[in-house]
Amino acid sequence: MAKPWATYGVDLHVEPSGPGVRKGLTDALREAVRSGRLAPGARLPSSRSLAADLGIARNTVAEAYGDLVAEGWLTARQGSGTRVADSAVRQSVRRGQQPPTSRPEPPRPEPGRPVYDLIPGSPDLASFPRTEWLKAARRALTSAPHDALGYGDPRGRVELRTALADYLSRTRGVRTDPEHIVIASGISHALMLLGTVLRRRGGHSPAVESYGLDVHWRLLSRAGLGTVPLPYDELGTRTDDLTGVRAVLLTPAHQFPMGAPLHPDRRADVVEWARRTGGLVLEDDYDGEFRYDRQPIGALQGLAPDHVVYLGTASKSLAPGLRLGWLVLPPSLTPEVVTAKGGTDWSCGALDQLTLAEFITSGAYDRHVRSVRLRYRRRRDALVEALREHAPGVRPTGIAAGLHAVLQLPPGTEESVVRSAAGQGLDLHGLARYRHPRATVDPLDALVVGYGTPPDHAWAGALDALCRVLP
Amino acid sequence: MAKPWATYGVDLHVEPSGPGVRKGLTDALREAVRSGRLAPGARLPSSRSLAADLGIARNTVAEAYGDLVAEGWLTARQGSGTRVADSAVRQSVRRGQQPPTSRPEPPRPEPGRPVYDLIPGSPDLASFPRTEWLKAARRALTSAPHDALGYGDPRGRVELRTALADYLSRTRGVRTDPEHIVIASGISHALMLLGTVLRRRGGHSPAVESYGLDVHWRLLSRAGLGTVPLPYDELGTRTDDLTGVRAVLLTPAHQFPMGAPLHPDRRADVVEWARRTGGLVLEDDYDGEFRYDRQPIGALQGLAPDHVVYLGTASKSLAPGLRLGWLVLPPSLTPEVVTAKGGTDWSCGALDQLTLAEFITSGAYDRHVRSVRLRYRRRRDALVEALREHAPGVRPTGIAAGLHAVLQLPPGTEESVVRSAAGQGLDLHGLARYRHPRATVDPLDALVVGYGTPPDHAWAGALDALCRVLP
């Protein structure tokens, strides 16, 4: 159907008839201007003469010219005909013919990938249950009402909030209802929302743990809040003196990265403090599904639902790429968080929410968690065994739960071990990067080993590489 | 397998053996405390005696008690045995037995739904191509590399950025490459990111159109920026005097809500201004796919890629619930927007991004757009025809494109028409709500009719209802 034409040095591929003619002509002329083949200020043939050349209707040419005038590529002036616009062309020629020489650095340059990755914070991405997820997606999307695809409730889809209220009650002892759950794009987004709420409530600096995730501190800081580290001793984070504190961010089930649960006395202290002062506890339950040596430690939220915000995520149990997390809120706080999120859910896609709801209610989530829990537990056991054999001086701690272990090193050796690992293509984090800049606890030399991170086929190699760099 | 026990008034359903025993016992005891069946301060039987009662190992009971002490439900003190904790129980009883009497208002109460919805801004959600989408999701997820499921590039998935660079060049004349596209959760999220960037660049108030979306003005205001309305005359938004302006938000292809494209002279003016002053144009191309009477008006971005941020979305072409939009950025602005989005993509789910990329590259997106464009065009024609017949005094404008029309009303009648429509179950918006509070243009009485919104089966009824309330 398409037929090439050469006119004024411009190759015009236009269909000889039908609605495609005008589009073909417009596209070809636009491209000719953009690429510089039609020079700045050049006068185009009259519509009549181009129409005759091309064997198409004169109106079609006139309309194409009109489109390109409207778009700014051409100018049309009484008496001087249709010409290529000056500015557009200068701009086009510059860009079209000279590839930019000093392109800005790409924001995340991909460095030479290490051979093995033991950075904590990611599950084994190869374990994502693709087939089961697609089945759930099909069931969810097939049965969803049409309005599930519209602009939605700022709290997120009710199907997911309902599924979570049940699931979290059953597995984590969380007490709530779907009305007081808000879906977020992961715990980071949840902390952005809470940061906005806390700033509006007066902007007092929340207390955080001496060891934690710098990205969380930065997110709170972007919301205009400082963070104050709580003291840390041999029993873990201290919560006995929260004088002046209005909000505290904790990882009670599995301290990140140290790995111990919050001591029972200190659980009691923080709940008592919250009740007495109206303080707010932000409970980051990032990997509550993965506990190996004992039953899961129930959520702090279950003890004081009016004072604790429970934060959960699918990032460890399924995959970070889902960008799905949830806040379980004290009823009195819910409207403020909803306001911070916006009058509509501007952030979280409905389809994955519906799919996760179906995944949970169908039992697929429980099955998946059981299956990967077993896999991670075996890795943990292999890690402990390998250390016993190859690095008996290195003590693993925080290993009753989660996807990472802390390996305590001889004083003064952390940096050199991390460096030596990097030199051998093993990506590792030392504990230093998880220590709050204002923490008063003495620095401890250790590695934070994300044994959940590598895919199965790389796990044995990663473990060997780790043993080789340990003192 | 499960076997009920009654002990101390507590129904304990525990499996007689295996790892479930301890969990069953812990759950049952926790529930008994929570519900108040185990009273505050009550002493629990010794682990030895409860174990004997239940016919299970004493260790199991001791471990269950230990879990519940750790969680704060029970207390254990040398010499006084294991007791129900006081605070937990008081709290539990209050919540478990007295449903809260003054529950806060749900954030978005569902009012009595109107029978017909002609609110602009939503496509027909029933037209979402569920089957085709699921097919694309299967292909995308089946072939995605594992690391697509991890914490991702802050710009979004490269597959989608690549598909968009090609699609937008082909259909909208946008000139870019995947490096300078950033995926967002829709245009609102894009404006939040740009608001952050503009505030950091000095916080000058961006110019906006006299008619527009109040949610956009509010989002910019939340970023700490005021908005200044540009003058508006019979040719539309004026861009001839942008003195002192650093950034301007426009809907050049299809002014929202008025419906006209930006006048060619004014297109030229704004591009010239941007080049001369280094000003930034934010081009909101929310429904660029839907043009009926002429070829699509190419994007302004194609004229000045170094000065225009092009904003697009899947909200009109597919569904708002996807929460997917994109920014095409001048190379010099890209790092700032990436910084505003975060060091990682904390916001946009990878699976829908991969699916949309597949949807576009497979041609399904083009087919879908063609199919719904035809459907919407027929509705528009039916609207024009119905007005001619039933309300010849009402002039529809802005109908060459998009999913809505502006119906001009006799002066002073807008409010009463909207109210009378509401009384008859027809949800309508008057033009007044789209007028910037500081606009100087004389208010115009009109309706903004979203003819794309109803599902097919409700469209004829909605149109009849509309004709009945028109003067």
Side-chain angles (χ1 to χ4, degrees), chain A residues 34 67 70-71 94 108 130 141 144 146 149 151 154 173 175 185 222 267 294 298 303 306 316 321 340 346 350, chain B residues 22 34 67 70-71 94 108 130 141 144 146 149 151 154 173 185 222 267 298 303 306 316 321 340 346 350:
Chain A
R34 181 181 290 163
D67 291 350
E71 290 174 30
R94 196 171 59 73
R108 276 171 48 116
R130 299 187 185 210
L141 187 52
H146 289 315
L149 301 168
Y151 291 101
R175 288 188 287 154
S185 305
R222 275 173 61 171
R267 271 175 90 96
R294 9 182 316 151
L303 299 179
D306 288 337
K316 311 297 181 255
W346 301 116
Chain B
R22 173 165 153 195
R34 180 182 289 164
D67 290 350
E71 290 174 31
R94 194 170 62 71
R108 276 170 50 115
R130 298 187 186 209
L141 187 51
H146 290 314
L149 302 167
Y151 291 101
S185 304
R222 276 174 61 173
R267 272 174 88 94
L303 299 179
D306 287 337
K316 310 298 181 251
W346 301 116

Side-chain angles (χ1 to χ4, degrees), chain A residues 318-398:
Chain A
L318 283 164
L322 285 179
R323 303 312 315 135
L324 279 177
W326 37 90
L327 302 93
V328 178
L329 293 161
S332 63
L333 194 68
T334 308
E336 286 166 84
V337 172
V338 167
T339 301
K341 199 174 172 200
T344 290
D345 192 343
W346 301 116
S347 36
C348 303
L351 301 191
D352 284 339
Q353 292 185 58
L354 294 168
T355 302
L356 181 56
E358 169 65 26
F359 203 74
I360 293 172
T361 52
S362 70
Y365 190 80
D366 284 75
R367 286 193 297 277
H368 173 70
V369 166
R370 277 200 301 274
S371 145
V372 289
R373 189 194 286 134
L374 183 63
R375 180 193 299 212
Y376 293 132
R377 186 187 174 138
R378 286 187 182 137
R379 287 196 189 177
R380 182 204 62 164
D381 294 347
L383 171 66
V384 171
E385 184 54 34
L387 290 176
R388 186 159 31 224
E389 191 168 330
H390 301 289
V394 173
R395 195 162 69 89
T397 58

Side-chain angles (χ1 to χ4, degrees), chain A residues 19-34:
Chain A
V21 181
R22 174 165 153 195
K23 173 155 170 40
L25 180 59
T26 313
D27 288 352
L29 287 170
R30 191 191 293 113
E31 191 43 45
V33 176
R34 181 181 290 163

Side-chain angles (χ1 to χ4, degrees), chain A residues 220-243:
Chain A
L220 292 168
S221 144
R222 275 173 61 171
L225 302 167
T227 52
V228 180
L230 291 171
Y232 186 93
D233 64 17
E234 65 283 356
L235 295 180
T237 301
R238 283 179 54 182
T239 57
D240 50 333
D241 181 9
L242 292 168
T243 312

